[in-house]
Amino acid sequence: MSDVSLDNLDQHTADLLNAVAALSSLEELVTRESSLVGKRSVLSSLQKSLGGLTPDERRDAGARLQESRRRVTEALEARRVDLEAQERRATLDADRLDLGDVVGPTVSSPLEPGHPGIIAVTQLALEEVFVGMGFRVEDGPEVESDWYNFEALNMPPAHPARGMWDTFYLEMGEPETVVLRTHTSPTQIHLMERAVRDDALPIHAVMPGRCFRRDTPDARHLAAFHQIEGIVVDRDITFADLAGTIDAFTRAYFGPDIDSRLRPGYFPFTEPSAEFEITCTICRGEGCRTCSQTGWIELGGCGMIDPAVFAAVGIDSTTWSGFAFGFGIDRCAQMRHEIADMRALIDNDLRFVRQFS
Ligand code: DAH
């Protein structure tokens, strides 16, 4: 640096501005601040030397000195703002999580991509079989009124058949008027009502969905489970159409070495009614714990739609006839994949879950 003298003020100023521009960190700026513009600075020494000047010289030199100090101070503040921004950016860069590395294919990661669960896969496979047989896939609500879950299905209040379904009632409206559907059969009522309203008969549809029963889970039952309902309403439909449909479905889904059979049964919404069963896949018909030693597993129920149900939805049962069926999707998964205990479906044990990816 040149001699400390007011004659060299321009040079001093230029040196100071260069020094400010060369500051490379906030830390350096703070350390050097007082030597650049503070008490220990050239500018302060020059300020002191003003005392030896004449008043006119002092005024003139004082103004120049003030101007220099303003320029250096401004440059220093600008540099401070720059350095702060630079350092903030560096911190952000250092802290940034590179998610590409976390889930990228080259780095082993604790996160596995998910995959559809066994129930969803089974439901899709069942839908595919039925779509191939000419059925549409429809949907229905999981919360139902008493009318849809029971009454329109030919179970008036206090009908003993209501006891076939251990019902969860919701605390909504009058007591025992809103339920978690105990089966997918109420979707039949919705579909038929809609078809009547829209003048859209015939109906050939399947309706998969979740159902709920106040049941204690065991090897064959879950309290929240899945069914798929089927309904055909058309002209001249007979029990033979129903039996043929069940048989075609069983073979398409389980394969030719699994037999199915219909046994007389009772459901309030069908007449006649039947239960349909397939060979237990766990023991191949020999008898085991899963099938209670019978060699057969009940998949669901079916029958010809009762005229009382047609009357409830306003379908003329002298023109139209139909059949319906409903069975467990979880039960199908259990049989197709030979799962001895259905509770494995909800245990979330990854050793089980991963077998179906
Ligand atoms: N909803 C009955 C159940 O959950 C199964 C069933 C039986 C459905 C006969 C039907 C049917 O559509 O016609 O136990």
Side-chain angles (χ1 to χ4, degrees), residues 2-16 42-43 46-47 50 60-69 71-72:
S2 5
D3 286 347
V4 178
S5 138
L6 273 166
D7 297 340
N8 294 332
L9 183 58
D10 287 347
Q11 187 56 51
H12 292 313
T13 308
D15 290 345
L16 286 170
V42 177
L43 296 176
L46 291 174
Q47 185 82 28
L50 292 181
D60 179 49
R64 286 174 56 218
L65 203 52
Q66 213 173 354
E67 172 61 12
S68 288
R69 183 183 288 279
R71 288 176 58 201
V72 177

Side-chain angles (χ1 to χ4, degrees), residues 165 183 185 188 213 227 229 267 269-270 301-303 324-326:
W165 295 276
H183 49 178
S185 298
Q188 292 182 25
R213 287 187 202 169
Q227 286 190 336
E229 193 81 9
F267 295 99
F269 30 94
T270 40
C302 58
F325 57 84

Side-chain angles (χ1 to χ4, degrees), residues 16-24 75 79:
L16 286 170
L17 289 174
N18 283 337
V20 167
L23 291 171
S24 62
R79 188 73 191 131

Side-chain angles (χ1 to χ4, degrees), residues 133-154:
M133 291 164 70
F135 288 77
R136 279 197 328 261
V137 179
E138 298 278 356
D139 212 358
E142 292 177 352
V143 173
E144 285 288 9
S145 66
D146 182 88
W147 164 260
Y148 287 101
N149 197 78
F150 292 121
E151 198 159 348
L153 289 163
N154 199 24

Side-chain angles (χ1 to χ4, degrees), residues 1 22 53 72 128 183 275 344:
M1 200 181 276
L53 301 178
V72 177
E128 236 164 66
H183 49 178
E275 285 173 1

Side-chain angles (χ1 to χ4, degrees), residues 117-131 133 228 244-260 276 278-279 281 284 299 327-339 345 356:
I118 177 70
I119 306 291
V121 169
T122 307
Q123 178 176 323
L124 277 178
L126 293 171
E127 286 176 10
E128 236 164 66
V129 169
F130 284 110
V131 166
M133 291 164 70
I228 184 162
T245 302
I246 298 288
D247 195 53
F249 148 74
T250 313
R251 283 179 201 293
Y253 184 71
F254 290 103
D257 54 334
I258 296 297
D259 286 328
S260 66
F276 72 95
I278 60 163
T279 317
T281 57
R284 299 273 145 185
L299 268 197
F327 58 88
I329 294 177
D330 321 64
R331 194 67 66 76
C332 284
Q334 180 181 29
M335 284 300 110
R336 168 107 170 227
H337 301 286
E338 298 168 36
I339 302 163
L345 296 175
F356 304 102

Side-chain angles (χ1 to χ4, degrees), residues 32-87:
R32 301 222 24 219
E33 189 168 5
S34 98
S35 67
L36 292 170
V37 290
K39 286 203 186 93
R40 293 190 288 119
S41 69
V42 177
L43 296 176
S44 291
S45 324
L46 291 174
Q47 185 82 28
K48 283 180 199 134
S49 71
L50 292 181
L53 301 178
T54 65
D56 280 352
E57 284 169 341
R58 196 183 309 147
R59 192 179 323 112
D60 179 49
R64 286 174 56 218
L65 203 52
Q66 213 173 354
E67 172 61 12
S68 288
R69 183 183 288 279
R70 189 191 60 75
R71 288 176 58 201
V72 177
T73 308
E74 262 180 31
L76 188 77
E77 287 317 309
R79 188 73 191 131
R80 190 196 309 273
V81 170
D82 274 359
L83 288 171
E84 275 173 358
Q86 244 176 49
E87 291 190 11

